[in-house]
C-alpha cells in the first residue's frame, strides 16, 4: 500500500512545504490553490496512520478528493490592487499586498483639459512626475495613465492663426493701397455730393440774402439751378463761391451776388413775360431767369460759347429758353418788346436798339463804363414812355466789354 500511495503522491510533504507553488492568477484562483494544497497535506498525514485495507484507503482518498473545492467554483472576490509590472515589484505570498502605484489624473478631466488648451492655443498642463514611468499613451488610448503630448488640434490651430509672411505682406499692402484708393474715390465722391447737394446752394442763398437780395423768386431760382454744371470741372469746387470764374474765350461767369442783384432789379416785384439777355456765355444766368420769367431769349456773339450753353442747358431740360447766335448790340427785334433786358457785358453806353426794344414800363439793367479805368457802374434804365427813359446809377461792378459783330 505504501508503494501505491507513492505512485499516486510522488511528492513528499517536505517538498510541498519547501517549494510552494506560486500562482499568478486572479485572487480567487490563488485561494483555491492554497486550499487544495492544504487538503493534500491533511490526506497524507492521515494515510501515514494504520488503516484498514487498500479498498478502505482508496475510498478515503476518493472522499478526500470529493471534499476538495473544485477550481471552477466561484471564489470570494476580495478588492485588491492590480498586479504591478515587473519593474515595480511583486506581491508577497502571505499577504498579497501590492506596492503603491502613482495615481494618474482621471481620463475625462485630463482629456478635456488637453483639448481645451489645444483649441485655445494655451500650453497643456502635464501631470506631476513620479518615480514610476507610465506607459506612453495618447489621450485616446486605453488605460488610466495620460501623458501630455503635442495635440494635432493645437498644431493646426497655431498654423491657422499664424499667416504666412507673404500673405501678411500682401494683406498689409492691399490694405494700404486699398485704403488710399478708397480714400481718393470717397473724397471725389464727397466733393461731387457736396457740389450737388441742396445744402451747399442754400448756404449760398443765405449769403445772398445777407447781401440785400430780398425777392424770394430770385432766391428760389438761385437755390434751384446747379451752378457747378456751368463751369469747368477743374473749377467745380469754387462754383458756389461768390466769385467770377473763367469760361474760356476771355469771358467769365458772373458772381452769384451780381446775377441775383441784376435779376432782382429787372423784375422789381413784377410778373415778367418776356426777357432778353445779351451775352449768353455758359448759360447760367439764362437758367436762373427761366425760373422768374415766362419766356427767356438769349443772344451770344461767340459761336463756341453759344454751343457750350446749349450743352450745359440740355440736361436740365428747360423748356422756356430760346438761344440765339448773333450780335447782342442789335438785340432781337422779332421777339420785342421785352418786359426786361439784362446785359452781361459793359459798354460805354446803352445801345439805342435795345432801348427801343424795351416795353413801356419795362426795365433794363446793364454795366456802363470803360474797362480800362474800372469805372463800370451797374445802371438801371426804365422806359417811362414812347420817347422817355430814366437812368439810375447803382453799384460799382466789373464786366467784360460789350462788342459788336459775331465770331
Amino acid at each position: 500500500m505504501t508503494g501505491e500511495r507513492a505512485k499516486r503522491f510522488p511528492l513528499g510533504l517536505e517538498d510541498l512545504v519547501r517549494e510552494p507553488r506560486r500562482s499568478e492568477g486572479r485572487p480567487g484562483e490563488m485561494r483555491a490553490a492554497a486550499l487544495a494544497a492544504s487538503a493534500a497535506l491533511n490526506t497524507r498525514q492521515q494515510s501515514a496512520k494504520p488503516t484498514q485495507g487498500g479498498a478502505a484507503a482508496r475510498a478515503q482518498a476518493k472522499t478526500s478528493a470529493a471534499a476538495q473545492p473544485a477550481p471552477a467554483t466561484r471564489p470570494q472576490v476580495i478588492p485588491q490592487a492590480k498586479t504591478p509590472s515587473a519593474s515595480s515589484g511583486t506581491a508577497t505570498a502571505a499577504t498579497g499586498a501590492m506596492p503603491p502605484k502613482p495615481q494618474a489624473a482621471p481620463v475625462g478631466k485630463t482629456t478635456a483639459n488637453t483639448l481645451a488648451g489645444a483649441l485655445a492655443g494655451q500650453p497643456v498642463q502635464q501631470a506631476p512626475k513620479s518615480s514610476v514611468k507610465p506607459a506612453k499613451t495618447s489621450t485616446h488610448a486605453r488605460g488610466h495613465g495620460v501623458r501630455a503630448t503635442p495635440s494635432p488640434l493645437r498644431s493646426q490651430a497655431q498654423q491657422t492663426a499664424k499667416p504666412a509672411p507673404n500673405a501678411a505682406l500682401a494683406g498689409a499692402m492691399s490694405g494700404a493701397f486699398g485704403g488710399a484708393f478708397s480714400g481718393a474715390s470717397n473724397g471725389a465722391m464727397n466733393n461731387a455730393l457736396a457740389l450737388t447737394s441742396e445744402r451747399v446752394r442754400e448756404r449760398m442763398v443765405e449769403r445772398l440774402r445777407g447781401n440785400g437780395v430780398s425777392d424770394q423768386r430770385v432766391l428760389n431760382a438761385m437755390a434751384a439751378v446747379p451752378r457747378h454744371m456751368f463751369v469747368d470741372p477743374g473749377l467745380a469746387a469754387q462754383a458756389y463761391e461768390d466769385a467770377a470764374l473763367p469760361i474760356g474765350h476771355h469771358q467769365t461767369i458772373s458772381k452769384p451776388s451780381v446775377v441775383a442783384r441784376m435779376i432782382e432789379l429787372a423784375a422789381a416785384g413784377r410778373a415778367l413775360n418776356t426777357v432778353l439777355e445779351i451775352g449768353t456765355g455758359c448759360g447760367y444766368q439764362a437758367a436762373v431767369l427761366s425760373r422768374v420769367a415766362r419766356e427767356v431769349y438769349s443772344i451770344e456773339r461767340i459761336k463756341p460759347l453759344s454751343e457750350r450753353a446749349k450743352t450745359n442747358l440740355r440736361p436740365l431740360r428747360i423748356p422756356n429758353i430760346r438761344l440765339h447766335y448773333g450780335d447782342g448790340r442789335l438785340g432781337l427785334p422779332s421777339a420785342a418788346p421785352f418786359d426786361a433786358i439784362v446785359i452781361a457785358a459793359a459798354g460805354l453806353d446803352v445801345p439805342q436798339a435795345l432801348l427801343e426794344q424795351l416795353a413801356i414800363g419795362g426795365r433794363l439793367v446793364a454795366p456802363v463804363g470803360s474797362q480800362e479805368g474800372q469805372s463800370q457802374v451797374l445802371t438801371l434804365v426804365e422806359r417811362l414812355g414812347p420817347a422817355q427813359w430814366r437812368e439810375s446809377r447803382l453799384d460799382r461792378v466789373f464786366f467784360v466789354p460789350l462788342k459788336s459783330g459775331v465770331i
Side-chain angles (χ1 to χ4, degrees), residues 105-118 124 138-141 143 146 153:
V107 175
K109 293 184 179 180
T110 306
T111 305
N113 293 337
T114 305
L115 294 177
V124 181
S138 65
T139 56
H140 302 285
V146 178
L153 296 178

Side-chain angles (χ1 to χ4, degrees), residues 189-275:
M189 184 178 297
N190 291 337
N191 290 337
L193 293 176
L195 293 174
T196 58
S197 65
E198 296 181 359
R199 180 57 185 161
V200 176
R201 293 196 292 272
E202 288 176 0
R203 289 197 294 267
M204 180 188 69
V205 170
E206 291 173 1
R207 291 194 301 268
L208 295 175
R209 185 180 287 108
N211 292 335
V213 179
S214 58
D215 193 327
Q216 192 59 44
R217 295 176 302 170
V218 176
L219 295 175
N220 292 341
M222 297 291 292
V225 178
R227 190 170 186 255
H228 68 277
M229 295 180 60
F230 295 88
V231 300
D232 293 335
L235 300 175
Q238 307 174 40
Y240 297 99
E241 296 178 0
D242 194 24
L245 302 175
I247 57 176
H249 305 278
H250 305 287
Q251 305 297 307
T252 61
I253 179 175
S254 299
K255 296 179 180 181
S257 59
V258 173
V259 173
R261 173 70 168 157
M262 293 178 71
I263 295 176
E264 184 179 44
L265 289 173
R270 304 172 299 150
L272 301 178
N273 291 322
T274 58
V275 176

Side-chain angles (χ1 to χ4, degrees), residues 297-339:
Y297 297 87
S298 184
I299 303 175
E300 176 57 53
R301 65 180 292 267
I302 303 175
K303 185 66 173 179
L305 285 181
S306 180
E307 296 298 326
R308 178 177 178 179
K310 293 179 181 179
T311 303
N312 292 339
L313 291 169
R314 188 174 296 115
L316 300 179
R317 301 180 179 276
I318 300 176
N320 58 336
I321 295 181
R322 307 289 184 265
L323 299 180
H324 294 268
Y325 169 62
D327 187 352
R329 289 182 65 90
L330 302 178
L332 193 61
S334 60
F338 299 100
D339 296 329

Side-chain angles (χ1 to χ4, degrees), residues 7-43:
K7 290 179 182 181
R8 295 183 59 184
F9 300 100
L11 297 178
L13 179 60
E14 62 277 6
D15 296 330
L16 293 177
V17 176
R18 184 172 58 250
E19 296 180 1
R21 186 175 181 178
R22 185 177 300 172
S23 175
E24 296 181 357
R26 291 179 297 180
E29 296 177 354
M30 295 173 61
R31 184 176 181 83
L35 292 177
S38 177
L41 180 60
N42 293 335
T43 304

Side-chain angles (χ1 to χ4, degrees), residues 42-43 46-47 51-52 54-66:
N42 293 335
T43 304
Q46 291 178 1
S47 61
T51 58
Q52 297 178 359
R58 285 193 299 269
Q60 185 177 2
K62 291 181 180 181
T63 303
S64 301

Side-chain angles (χ1 to χ4, degrees), residues 309-401:
K310 293 179 181 179
T311 303
N312 292 339
L313 291 169
R314 188 174 296 115
L316 300 179
R317 301 180 179 276
I318 300 176
N320 58 336
I321 295 181
R322 307 289 184 265
L323 299 180
H324 294 268
Y325 169 62
D327 187 352
R329 289 182 65 90
L330 302 178
L332 193 61
S334 60
F338 299 100
D339 296 329
I341 298 176
V342 178
I343 303 176
L348 297 178
D349 56 8
V350 178
Q352 187 62 32
L354 297 178
L355 293 176
E356 296 292 339
Q357 296 178 24
L358 185 62
I360 298 176
R363 297 162 71 94
L364 182 149
V365 181
V368 178
S370 64
Q371 186 179 16
E372 290 77 8
Q374 297 183 359
S375 60
Q376 299 177 6
V377 178
L378 190 62
T379 303
L380 172 63
V381 178
E382 299 173 84
R383 188 172 187 178
L384 303 178
Q388 185 179 5
W389 293 267
R390 182 175 62 193
E391 182 177 307
S392 302
R393 301 174 71 87
L394 303 173
D395 308 327
R396 181 70 62 90
V397 292
F398 184 79
F399 279 81
V400 296

